[in-house]
Amino acid sequence: MLEAISLWLHNTTVGKFLFTMLISMIPVAELRVGLPAGVAMGLPIPLALLAGVMGNMLPVPFVILFIRRIFKWIRVHIPKLGALVDRLEARAYAKMQSKQLVRYEVWGLLAFVAIPLPGTGAWTGSLIAALMDLRLKNAVPVIFCGVVIAGLIMTALTYGVTALL
């Protein structure tokens, strides 16, 4: 059964699209890995970009709405992971305290998400938005614009690499 699913994922456009979305949903990897992976699997660049953006954006509202409650629950019910949660929160607060992010709030968040480097992106941007108490209706469009910009940057880089090969 798993072999059939794996074969379907790799041999159909829909499967490649879904697989690209799944990769783009993973924290740290996000769109930076999902988009080139989709192109490497044979997806056309526009479809890979769409799948990457969709996959990267899917967890955003859930992170903004629930991350504080999840962190609180982890601290109470799984104390051994409390230190990990503290580190994640401390790193997000440290990034949030950068002058640009505090001073320009929404524009700083946009720039933070739009730069496709490790430690930036939709997941960390969502965590920062939650810690900044940004409302969902204000944070999601900003993060979406940042993800699209990051996607366009990654598309250009991916296209450049594939053109060289």
Side-chain angles (χ1 to χ4, degrees):
M1 178 70 175
L2 281 174
E3 193 173 309
I5 292 171
S6 175
L7 197 61
W8 179 78
L9 280 174
H10 289 291
N11 291 329
T12 65
T13 301
V14 173
K16 293 172 186 176
F17 188 89
L18 291 173
F19 196 64
T20 302
M21 277 184 65
L22 287 172
I23 293 171
S24 298
M25 289 172 59
I26 299 170
V28 182
E30 298 186 26
L31 185 110
R32 294 178 295 268
V33 176
L35 196 142
V39 172
M41 286 187 288
L43 264 182
I45 289 178
L47 276 180
L49 175 61
L50 180 63
V53 169
M54 287 173 62
N56 206 184
M57 284 302 297
L58 200 60
V60 167
F62 301 103
V63 172
I64 294 170
L65 289 174
F66 301 117
I67 196 66
R68 286 181 162 191
R69 289 182 228 164
I70 292 169
F71 281 175
K72 184 178 179 181
W73 186 90
I74 289 172
R75 285 186 180 105
V76 170
H77 293 92
I78 314 172
K80 290 183 179 184
L81 292 180
L84 174 65
V85 169
D86 291 340
R87 281 196 309 270
L88 285 172
E89 224 170 35
R91 284 177 54 199
Y93 272 118
K95 290 178 184 198
M96 187 174 84
Q97 296 305 323
S98 75
K99 290 180 186 177
Q100 290 83 4
L101 207 52
V102 171
R103 185 172 174 195
Y104 300 110
E105 196 171 270
V106 170
W107 291 106
L109 183 61
L110 173 72
F112 181 82
V113 175
I115 300 168
L117 293 173
T120 66
W123 277 86
T124 309
S126 300
L127 176 58
I128 290 170
L131 296 176
M132 290 171 69
D133 290 321
L134 285 178
R135 294 189 59 162
L136 191 64
K137 70 177 188 175
N138 297 331
V140 169
V142 171
I143 293 170
F144 175 75
C145 289
V147 167
V148 168
I149 292 168
L152 293 172
I153 292 169
M154 288 307 303
T155 299
L157 291 172
T158 302
Y159 180 75
V161 169
T162 56
L164 290 174
L165 299 176

